[in-house]
Amino acid sequence: MTDTTLRSVSFGGGVQSTALLVLAAHGRIDFPLFLFANVGDDSENPATLRYVEEYARPFAAEHGIELVTLDRIKHDGTVETLWKRLTRKGSRSLPIPVRMSNGAPGTRSCTADFKIKVIAKELKRRGATAEAPATIGIGISVDEIQRANNRRTEPHERIVYPLLDLGLRRIDCARVIREAGLPVPPKSSCWFCPFHRPETWHDQRRDEPELFERSCQLEDLLNERRDELGKDHVYLTRFGRPLREAISEGVDLLPMFDEADGLCDSGWCMT
């Protein structure tokens, strides 16, 4: 298949996709367009949003790379955020992968609705079609190779993994970023994501207590609605207990994480 001229990276603002930005700036990979699907200023990790504006966007502009922030726009023209969908009065929606009573993650639509579809809409607006698909670079490194190829490729796109092609691990990505004179970004994700590892939750409780309390309040809200529906409680961790109890204050030693901890398997999040 003849490659298309539309080449873009799905930019998450984390270590791997920032390394792709540096590699593109230095001509090691050919991606002139980076699309950042923002799930919401009230939903993304605040530190990620700060990094994108303070470091990534100026760096991209300096090197002639187009870095575009995309919002999810509803039919009425307003911006929908993941937080708003979760907390909307009367909503029964559970778009995030909350942990069920057995600790397993539930089904989710957050990645598809707020990342994949938002980027797809922009690619199609720019001319991507089944006949001329866009090439989309995903920031999965060698140490997370199991995350690759876990979703169906849509007709308008061709998914590639530049970090895998270059044999780069996450630690290599951090080195690439530092060598470009940039600070290494924080891990990207929604601040209330149930895929957080226990140590991430612990750090949030210690370093960002107000954000941790909002996470606890979100879990409380979801379970108030579950009570009204006569359904079992759900949790933001796999421990089957409320977040305030599962992540104890002042405790540094936490249980080992399981395979789902810290991992959005599609590769469109947490990069």
Side-chain angles (χ1 to χ4, degrees):
M1 178 184 295
T2 301
D3 199 4
T4 178
T5 57
L6 182 54
R7 298 177 61 84
S8 174
V9 164
S10 172
F11 183 70
V15 173
Q16 283 98 331
S17 60
T18 299
L20 290 179
L21 178 62
V22 173
L23 293 170
H26 293 169
R28 293 186 61 187
I29 59 174
D30 179 21
F31 288 93
L33 175 64
F34 280 63
L35 298 177
F36 175 43
N38 180 8
V39 301
D41 288 349
D42 56 4
S43 307
E44 294 275 4
N45 180 353
T48 296
L49 295 173
R50 288 193 297 269
Y51 187 92
V52 170
E53 294 307 316
E54 293 178 13
Y55 297 104
R57 194 175 304 285
F59 181 84
E62 180 183 347
H63 292 85
I65 293 174
E66 187 180 4
L67 173 55
V68 180
T69 297
L70 304 171
D71 297 313
R72 176 174 170 81
I73 306 299
K74 298 169 64 175
H75 293 301
D76 62 4
T78 61
V79 174
E80 181 184 27
T81 72
L82 182 54
W83 176 260
K84 287 179 180 177
R85 180 180 291 190
L86 279 165
T87 60
R88 185 178 66 245
K89 186 175 181 180
S91 173
R92 297 182 179 182
S93 175
L94 278 177
I96 61 175
V98 290
R99 299 303 186 102
M100 311 309 289
S101 56
N102 63 0
T107 58
R108 71 186 191 275
S109 61
C110 49
T111 301
D113 288 351
F114 289 87
K115 293 286 187 180
I116 296 174
K117 292 179 181 178
V118 170
I119 289 178
K121 182 179 179 180
E122 177 64 12
L123 293 173
K124 291 175 182 177
R125 188 188 72 80
R126 289 173 178 258
T129 64
E131 293 72 30
T135 298
I136 308 301
I138 302 292
I140 291 178
S141 50
V142 170
D143 46 329
E144 296 183 345
I145 194 171
Q146 72 277 5
R147 299 177 70 189
N149 297 317
N150 276 346
R151 65 170 290 265
R152 184 185 68 226
T153 300
E154 300 298 332
H156 67 275
E157 66 187 14
R158 184 172 70 89
I159 304 296
V160 295
Y161 302 96
L163 297 176
L164 300 185
D165 295 339
L166 294 171
L168 298 181
R169 300 163 297 167
R170 183 181 176 87
I171 192 171
D172 300 317
C173 292
R175 173 181 51 79
V176 166
I177 294 168
R178 290 192 189 98
E179 289 177 351
L182 294 171
V184 176
K187 188 172 181 63
S188 64
S189 67
C190 296
W191 51 267
F192 47 80
C193 181
F195 279 150
H196 281 335
R197 290 173 174 166
E199 57 264 36
T200 301
W201 283 120
H202 179 267
D203 290 348
Q204 187 183 101
R205 178 163 193 163
R206 181 192 62 212
D207 301 332
E208 301 173 284
E210 292 182 2
L211 211 56
F212 183 80
E213 178 57 27
R214 290 186 68 196
S215 298
C216 294
Q217 291 172 0
L218 173 63
E219 188 182 67
D220 292 342
L221 173 63
L222 297 180
N223 283 321
E224 288 172 9
R225 293 174 177 172
R226 302 282 289 184
D227 287 339
E228 293 172 359
L229 297 172
K231 294 185 177 182
D232 291 342
H233 280 197
V234 294
Y235 305 97
L236 296 183
T237 72
R238 60 181 163 84
F239 302 120
R241 289 181 291 158
L243 185 58
R244 293 185 186 86
E245 299 175 12
I247 306 300
S248 300
E249 187 173 9
V251 176
D252 290 318
L253 297 177
L254 293 167
M256 293 294 290
F257 59 85
D258 64 16
E259 290 183 356
D261 283 335
L263 189 63
C264 175
D265 58 4
S266 69
W268 289 72
C269 292
M270 299 187 177
T271 62

